[in-house]
C-alpha cells in the first residue's frame, strides 16, 4: 500500500477529486494548507506573498494503482496544456500498517 500526498491549486481540487471518484478512488482526505515551492512565493506589485494557499489530498491506494492515480492527478491538476509553476506536487510514501479504529482490525 502507498500513501499519496497530493498538493494542488485550490481551484483544481474539486475537479481532481471528481475524476478520482469516477475512476473508482473515493477515499480521500482534504486539507487546506499554506506553503511555497521553487517560486518562493509570489510578488504582486510591491507586496511579496511568502505563503500561498493550496489544498492537500491524502489517499492510501494499492501499489498496483499508483500509475493510474498519478496520471489522473497530473492530467486534471495541470493548468494549461504544458502546466505552470505552482500546479502542485505528488509525494508517494510506503504505508507499513493501517488500523480501523472502530473495529481495531489491522487492514494490511
Amino acid at each position: 500500500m502507498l500513501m499519496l500526498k497530493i498538493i494542488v491549486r485550490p481551484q483544481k481540487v474539486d475537479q481532481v477529486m471528481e475524476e478520482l471518484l469516477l475512476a473508482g478512488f473515493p477515499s480521500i482526505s482534504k486539507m487546506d494548507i499554506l506553503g511555497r515551492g521553487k517560486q518562493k512565493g509570489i510578488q504582486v506589485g510591491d507586496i511579496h506573498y511568502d505563503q500561498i494557499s493550496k489544498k492537500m489530498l491524502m489517499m492510501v491506494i494499492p501499489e498496483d494503482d499508483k500509475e493510474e492515480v498519478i496520471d489522473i492527478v497530473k492530467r486534471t491538476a495541470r493548468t494549461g496544456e504544458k502546466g505552470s509553476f505552482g500546479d502542485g506536487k505528488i509525494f508517494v510514501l510506503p504505508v507499513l500498517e493501517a488500523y480501523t479504529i472502530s473495529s481495531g482490525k489491522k487492514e494490511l
Side-chain angles (χ1 to χ4, degrees), residues 2-32:
L2 298 171
M3 175 179 284
L4 301 183
K5 291 188 177 187
I6 303 161
I7 299 172
V8 298
R9 294 176 183 267
Q11 63 268 31
K12 292 287 190 169
V13 72
D14 290 338
Q15 185 181 355
V16 170
M17 290 181 67
E18 181 66 23
E19 289 295 317
L20 289 168
L21 176 64
L22 291 172
F25 302 101
S27 300
I28 301 173
S29 296
K30 177 175 74 169
M31 291 157 270
D32 295 323

Side-chain angles (χ1 to χ4, degrees), residues 29-86:
S29 296
K30 177 175 74 169
M31 291 157 270
D32 295 323
I33 61 170
L34 294 172
R36 64 173 181 256
K38 293 178 186 177
Q39 75 273 21
K40 301 177 186 168
I42 188 169
Q43 188 78 29
V44 179
D46 292 338
I47 300 172
H48 179 76
Y49 296 95
D50 190 42
Q51 302 290 313
I52 300 168
S53 178
K54 299 286 183 176
K55 299 287 185 179
M56 181 164 54
L57 303 175
M58 287 186 359
M59 56 192 305
V60 175
I61 59 169
E63 286 190 47
D64 292 347
D65 293 332
K66 179 180 85 169
E67 294 305 320
E68 180 181 3
V69 171
I70 289 173
D71 288 343
I72 290 167
V73 172
K74 288 192 304 185
R75 174 178 41 82
T76 309
R78 182 177 290 139
T79 57
E81 193 173 310
K82 295 184 179 184
S84 62
F85 283 116

Side-chain angles (χ1 to χ4, degrees), residues 90-102:
I90 303 168
F91 299 96
V92 181
L93 303 123
V95 175
L96 302 178
E97 295 180 345
Y99 296 85
T100 298
I101 293 174
S102 61

